[in-house]
């Protein structure tokens, strides 16, 4: 019975993986629209659903970069998109708790989820990008491995820092620094 269950699990897992996309389609994230006076310098107003601005990684404080990596994915520079140790740690902790208490997403997997969410064209695609299912996690893992093959760690961190939600409709490191501490990164 155990061998049969394992065989069925492997076969169904292979089918799920085979149905998943192999490449991440990236679309530019929404930005804030600034309206200036005729002098071209005086800001009159801003329009946005998500307050966001893009900042190159070279302009983001190294302390913020280190803090995000330390808190979200301490082995970011060691793995290739998926952290097997993190998955094992989360599995053990969640099994002991009987509920989801720890996640196993790497920064790359989080970036993939944000890119899928931001690139969604329909409510169903948004739901598929954010639902709490094993299928979504497998999809993220597969795409994270592909992203790591074609992008540097710096590029992944830059994109992640520019897309991450920091609360109160604020997205990205620069916008959050401006809103929360009245300072630009």
């Amino acid at each position: 019975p155990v061998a049969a269950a394992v065989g069925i699990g492997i076969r169904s897992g292979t089918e799920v993986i085979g149905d998943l996309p192999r490449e991440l389609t990236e679309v530019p994230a929404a930005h804030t629209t600034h309206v200036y006076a005729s002098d071209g310098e005086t800001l009159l107003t801003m329009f946005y659903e998500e307050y966001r601005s893009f900042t190159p990684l070279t302009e983001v404080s190294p302390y913020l970069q280190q803090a995000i990596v330390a808190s979200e994915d301490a082995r970011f520079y060691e793995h290739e998109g998926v952290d097997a140790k993190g998955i094992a740690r989360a599995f053990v902790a969640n099994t002991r708790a009987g509920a989801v208490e720890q996640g196993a997403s790497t920064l790359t997997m989080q970036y993939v989820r944000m890119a899928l969410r931001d690139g969604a064209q329909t409510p169903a695609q948004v739901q598929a990008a954010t639902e709490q299912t094993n299928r979504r996690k497998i999809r993220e893992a597969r795409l994270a491995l592909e992203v790591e093959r074609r992008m540097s760690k710096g590029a992944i961190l830059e994109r992640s820092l520019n897309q991450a939600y920091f609360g109160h409709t604020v997205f990205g490191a620069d916008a959050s620094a401006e809103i929360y501490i009245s300072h630009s990164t």
Side-chain angles (χ1 to χ4, degrees), residues 15-139:
E15 290 169 6
V16 167
I17 290 171
D19 291 342
L20 296 175
R22 296 178 189 270
E23 278 191 40
L24 179 65
T25 303
E26 297 176 78
V27 288
H31 285 336
T32 303
T33 299
H34 297 83
V35 179
Y36 292 92
S38 60
D39 65 9
E41 293 184 22
T42 305
L43 179 65
L44 296 176
T45 192
M46 297 182 292
F47 298 100
Y48 58 87
E49 281 188 39
E50 300 174 349
Y51 186 60
R52 177 192 314 260
S53 59
F54 179 83
T55 306
L57 190 61
T58 56
E59 294 179 25
V60 176
S61 164
Y63 298 114
L64 177 59
Q65 293 177 45
Q66 293 166 8
I68 294 295
V69 169
S71 66
E72 295 293 327
D73 185 1
R75 287 184 290 279
F76 176 64
Y77 294 103
E78 299 166 21
H79 62 69
E80 295 180 7
V82 178
D83 182 5
K85 288 180 183 177
I87 292 170
R89 174 200 33 81
F91 177 77
V92 169
N94 295 340
T95 301
R96 284 184 183 161
V100 176
E101 293 211 343
Q102 293 186 18
S105 290
T106 63
L107 274 172
T108 309
M109 291 170 70
Q110 291 174 29
Y111 165 67
V112 165
R113 183 171 47 253
M114 290 183 283
L116 291 169
R117 177 202 64 210
D118 293 348
Q121 300 295 312
T122 67
Q125 289 174 338
V126 172
Q127 183 177 356
T130 58
E131 65 190 349
Q132 296 296 317
T133 65
N134 290 334
R135 180 179 173 81
R136 189 205 87 218
K137 284 295 208 184
I138 292 167
R139 177 183 185 195

Side-chain angles (χ1 to χ4, degrees), residues 117-178:
R117 177 202 64 210
D118 293 348
Q121 300 295 312
T122 67
Q125 289 174 338
V126 172
Q127 183 177 356
T130 58
E131 65 190 349
Q132 296 296 317
T133 65
N134 290 334
R135 180 179 173 81
R136 189 205 87 218
K137 284 295 208 184
I138 292 167
R139 177 183 185 195
E140 283 176 12
R142 182 176 190 163
L143 291 170
L145 292 169
E146 183 268 327
V147 165
E148 290 261 353
R149 279 192 285 277
R150 65 178 178 85
M151 291 172 60
S152 69
K153 291 288 189 175
I156 294 166
L157 183 58
E158 178 181 81
R159 284 177 171 87
S160 184
L161 286 170
N162 277 290
Q163 286 186 273
Y165 179 63
F166 286 91
H168 305 290
T169 71
V170 177
F171 290 78
D174 189 59
S176 67
E178 188 177 323

